[in-house]
Amino acid sequence: MAQKIQSVKGMNDLLPVEQKDFKLTAAFWQAFEDVVGRWAKSYGYSQIRTPIVEQTGLFVRSIGEETDVVGKEMYTFSDSNDSLSLSLRPEGTASCLRAVVEHNLLYNSPQKLWYMGPMFRRERPQKGRYRQFHQVGIEALGFEGPDIDAEIIAMSADLWDKLGIRGYLTLEINSLGNRKERAAHRAALVDYLTRYEDKLDDDSKRRLKTNPLRVLDSKNPDLQEICNAAPRLVDYLGEESQAHYRCFKTMLDGLDIKYVENPRLVRGLDYYNQTVFEWTTDKLGAQATVCGGGRYDGLIEELGGKPAASIGFAMGIERLLLLVHEYGSLKADAAPDVYVIHQGDGADLQAMKYAQALRAAGFDVMQHSGCQSLKAQMKKADASGARFALIVAQSELESGSATLKDLQGMHGQQTVAAADLINTLQQWKSA
């Protein structure tokens, strides 16, 4: 017997049933996608779909060459024909903005875009964090004021309500100011951290040279006292940045959205400025962040487009759905409405005709395949989760009738004319 080939570690199959180490089913995932599509449309966002593979330079320029994502986590390879360096996308914003710039989507008006799809990072797989993971992203492009900052926070909060997990999430916010303000803070931060360099762990020492703001994001408990006493970026904000941040918070207060100000919240990518935020939970172990984002006003220009104010966020679907699966209200119903059973010569073809007619009328129908006893077929009907069974027997073919059975017991069982099948089932289903 040939040896089995298994999936790559950290890249999961979505099956019709729960797995021992991965509880999310394809039906649960589909139910989430349905909610997201309606939710995004209700806020005026249009879907965009971009390739999984992009030129490596896109992510080097946008995310930052010295970030952990680009420096350690991307899947990068050379195209065999022209030696072009390509990478599997590690996040969605850069690809989205590359498409916006390439196709000049901001020529006439601002854009509200959303996307959903797989991302790839070569990191240690753990609960809620995988090498192939999926994100939903929201990007609002060409909007300058703090009102759009508040709107996308309200938008995310609305999704948590729809999924039944609002009470398990905490909103953390901060402002990173503009490039000049961040440069002044960076100089002060480097000077401060250098005095404690002998106490920093290896990761923080590396970040001190490449991306010192990320040192403040360290989860090492031995560094918390040092990080807590470090210069705060908020103290380096000018009046314009402070006014933007104040107005943003006033709008959140007016919308009755509770938040925690976290001066150490910096996000992991270089392109952020001004407003940044994260929705976190204490229900997923060490992986606290479920959704995060902020402003990236300079990124479109960095990618070759005309300057445009921009803000967005992304959520990891696996991590979010683990929370929804355990605590939320999302229901995944993969069961058919009707299970069609046939018994006797010629009944299988007539059963197939009835099934097609029911599907055309909007019912989800599973038709039994093969020849088994009526008892065995009824067991499979029960196991399918279907609400109704349609039994087509050889003895009923000449009379043009069939038997309907309510598997939940409300309507019992009755024989009806073929012409009345759809109407009867519609009445039963709506009752």
Side-chain angles (χ1 to χ4, degrees):
M1 181 181 294
Q3 185 177 1
K4 292 181 180 179
I5 298 177
Q6 298 189 350
S7 62
V8 177
K9 186 177 182 180
M11 300 186 180
N12 297 297
D13 298 311
L14 277 176
L15 303 181
V17 295
E18 291 187 3
Q19 303 169 61
K20 181 178 180 181
D21 56 348
F22 192 69
K23 300 297 184 182
L24 305 180
T25 65
F28 195 70
W29 200 283
Q30 182 63 57
F32 170 75
E33 290 181 347
D34 291 344
V35 171
V36 166
R38 294 191 298 270
W39 162 76
K41 184 179 180 182
S42 74
Y43 281 84
Y45 283 75
S46 301
Q47 189 176 25
I48 185 170
R49 302 191 184 195
T50 60
I52 291 174
V53 177
E54 298 274 9
Q55 294 188 42
T56 302
L58 171 66
F59 304 115
V60 172
R61 195 188 304 183
S62 60
I63 299 174
E65 187 170 11
E66 303 299 336
T67 59
D68 289 349
V69 173
V70 172
K72 299 192 301 183
E73 298 174 358
M74 285 206 307
Y75 286 95
T76 298
F77 54 95
S78 294
D79 186 282
S80 60
N81 293 324
D82 54 18
S83 299
L84 182 67
S85 181
L86 304 176
S87 294
L88 297 178
R89 62 187 184 195
E91 59 98 43
T93 296
S95 294
C96 179
L97 296 197
R98 188 269 310 150
V100 167
V101 172
E102 180 176 344
H103 301 289
N104 206 20
L105 296 185
L106 288 176
Y107 177 73
N108 288 320
S109 65
Q111 293 285 333
K112 290 185 173 183
L113 304 172
W114 75 278
Y115 59 83
M116 177 163 45
M119 313 293 163
F120 303 84
R121 295 186 188 180
R122 190 178 61 248
E123 57 184 350
R124 183 172 64 86
Q126 51 191 298
K127 182 179 181 180
R129 173 166 281 179
Y130 308 102
R131 289 177 174 175
Q132 177 178 306
F133 61 101
H134 298 74
Q135 284 186 343
V136 170
I138 293 291
E139 315 291 355
L141 312 176
F143 302 92
E144 294 185 359
D147 55 337
I148 194 68
D149 303 29
E151 182 189 85
I152 69 167
I153 296 290
M155 183 179 181
S156 57
D158 185 26
L159 181 59
W160 312 149
D161 285 334
K162 293 180 186 302
L163 297 173
I165 57 170
R166 177 77 173 271
Y168 300 97
L169 291 166
T170 298
L171 173 63
E172 299 183 14
I173 65 172
N174 192 21
S175 176
L176 301 183
N178 60 36
R179 184 172 297 180
K180 182 178 179 180
E181 293 157 356
R182 289 198 306 279
H185 172 256
R186 177 189 173 112
L189 182 61
V190 169
D191 181 65
Y192 169 81
L193 292 174
T194 300
R195 301 201 301 267
Y196 297 95
E197 189 167 2
D198 60 328
K199 297 183 179 180
L200 299 180
D201 56 31
D202 291 342
D203 200 35
S204 294
K205 288 178 180 178
R206 177 180 59 82
R207 287 174 170 173
L208 177 59
K209 300 294 191 296
T210 60
N211 193 2
L213 200 60
R214 289 283 284 145
V215 176
L216 301 181
D217 205 28
S218 172
K219 302 300 187 291
N220 186 340
D222 296 332
L223 299 182
Q224 297 312 299
E225 185 175 347
I226 294 174
C227 292
N228 288 335
R232 302 189 315 162
L233 202 159
V234 68
D235 296 328
Y236 290 79
L237 301 184
E239 178 52 37
E240 185 176 348
S241 293
Q242 290 183 33
H244 185 104
Y245 191 41
R246 282 197 304 270
C247 187
F248 166 59
K249 291 189 290 183
T250 298
M251 289 184 171
L252 293 184
D253 292 335
L255 293 169
D256 198 27
I257 297 175
K258 295 180 173 57
Y259 57 85
V260 175
E261 293 189 72
N262 180 0
R264 288 173 51 184
L265 175 59
V266 298
R267 302 293 295 150
L269 308 179
D270 278 358
Y271 52 61
Y272 285 111
N273 68 288
Q274 300 290 2
T275 304
V276 290
F277 64 90
E278 290 183 353
W279 287 94
T280 63
T281 182
D282 59 2
K283 302 299 183 182
L284 295 176
Q287 300 306 314
T289 303
V290 170
C291 170
R295 279 202 164 269
Y296 46 89
D297 293 335
L299 185 53
I300 289 181
E301 185 178 12
E302 188 72 23
L303 296 179
K306 294 182 179 180
S310 309
I311 187 170
F313 64 82
M315 63 190 78
I317 297 179
E318 285 90 346
R319 200 177 306 175
L320 175 62
L321 289 189
L322 286 174
L323 185 66
V324 175
H325 184 272
E326 187 69 23
Y327 301 100
S329 58
L330 182 65
K331 302 299 181 184
D333 186 8
D337 297 315
V338 184
Y339 192 99
V340 180
I341 293 169
H342 56 85
Q343 194 71 23
D345 293 340
D348 52 353
L349 177 57
Q350 187 60 53
M352 189 176 295
K353 292 180 178 179
Y354 288 153
Q356 291 293 82
L358 289 173
R359 293 185 185 106
F363 290 93
D364 296 329
V365 182
M366 181 179 291
Q367 181 180 339
H368 184 84
S369 297
C371 297
Q372 288 185 300
S373 68
L374 183 61
K375 182 178 180 181
Q377 291 187 59
M378 287 301 301
K379 283 185 177 180
K380 290 195 173 182
D382 288 329
S384 74
R387 182 174 174 185
F388 309 113
L390 169 59
I391 305 167
V392 183
Q394 181 183 10
S395 60
E396 296 173 317
L397 295 181
E398 290 187 7
S399 63
S401 62
T403 300
L404 290 176
K405 182 174 183 179
D406 187 340
L407 297 176
Q408 296 180 2
M410 182 182 300
H411 300 284
Q413 178 173 312
Q414 68 181 76
T415 299
V416 298
D420 296 330
L421 280 176
I422 292 173
N423 184 55
T424 302
L425 281 171
Q426 287 173 336
Q427 291 179 1
W428 284 14
K429 188 176 179 180
S430 62

